[in-house]
Amino acid sequence: MKENTTLYQVAFWLTISLAIGAFGYSIYHFPIEAAGSNLGILTLATLFFSVFAMIQIPRVKIHVTISDVLVFTALLIYGGEVATILAIVDTVVGSLNFRRKGIPITFRTILLNCSIAGISIFATSLVVTASFGNLGAIAQGPDVSTLAVLVSVM
């Protein structure tokens, strides 16, 4: 789809709007009690792996990082609000790292990547919370089979 078509513009701005809504909701409902050294370490590890532990899949322009796993870990431990913010920040850092390495990436692409990451994690958190209830209780509970199903749904 060409960038100058009306459908593209509508889809682009709808995605940006949804991401702003998810980000705003996450900031507003951020669990202040979660802000501590453990969350700080998880955030730094996520950003570190976003920059330094990136694997490109051969013959395609897709990069996979360990930071994606850490975002899902944040979802299990701290909830959707923290994970949504972390996913957006992680995508910003990863995209700016592409620019630093000389990979051509436009501001619109960075904005769209961040929006899709935020919407994806936010929607995932809504689905798994509606399906399973308190994610932290499941992650810390003794029932491994429920945790396995939860991770599969994510």
Side-chain angles (χ1 to χ4, degrees), residues 1-86:
M1 184 181 315
K2 294 188 179 193
E3 289 188 24
N4 58 356
T5 64
T6 303
L7 182 59
Y8 174 85
Q9 293 296 326
V10 169
F12 179 82
W13 289 110
L14 179 63
T15 303
I16 302 301
S17 300
L18 288 172
I20 290 171
F23 186 71
Y25 178 89
S26 297
I27 292 284
Y28 185 75
H29 293 284
F30 186 86
I32 300 298
E33 67 278 357
S37 61
N38 290 341
L39 179 57
I41 291 168
L42 180 64
T43 300
L44 290 175
T46 303
L47 299 179
F48 173 81
F49 286 122
S50 176
V51 173
F52 296 110
M54 190 177 305
I55 301 167
Q56 182 174 357
I57 298 174
R59 295 187 296 265
V60 291
K61 290 184 178 182
I62 297 175
H63 294 80
V64 179
T65 64
I66 298 170
S67 65
D68 299 332
V69 173
L70 296 176
V71 169
F72 282 115
T73 302
L75 176 60
L76 286 173
I77 296 172
Y78 298 106
E81 294 82 8
V82 173
T84 300
I85 295 167
L86 188 58

Side-chain angles (χ1 to χ4, degrees), residues 105-154:
I105 184 168
T106 66
F107 176 73
R108 287 177 67 95
T109 303
I110 293 172
L111 192 59
L112 191 61
N113 287 346
C114 295
S115 298
I116 291 170
I119 291 168
S120 299
I121 294 297
F122 187 76
T124 299
S125 72
L126 291 177
V127 169
V128 295
T129 302
S131 301
F132 295 95
N134 185 352
L135 302 180
I138 293 172
Q140 296 174 359
D143 188 11
V144 178
S145 61
T146 304
L147 181 61
V149 172
L150 170 65
V151 171
S152 297
V153 170
M154 289 182 2

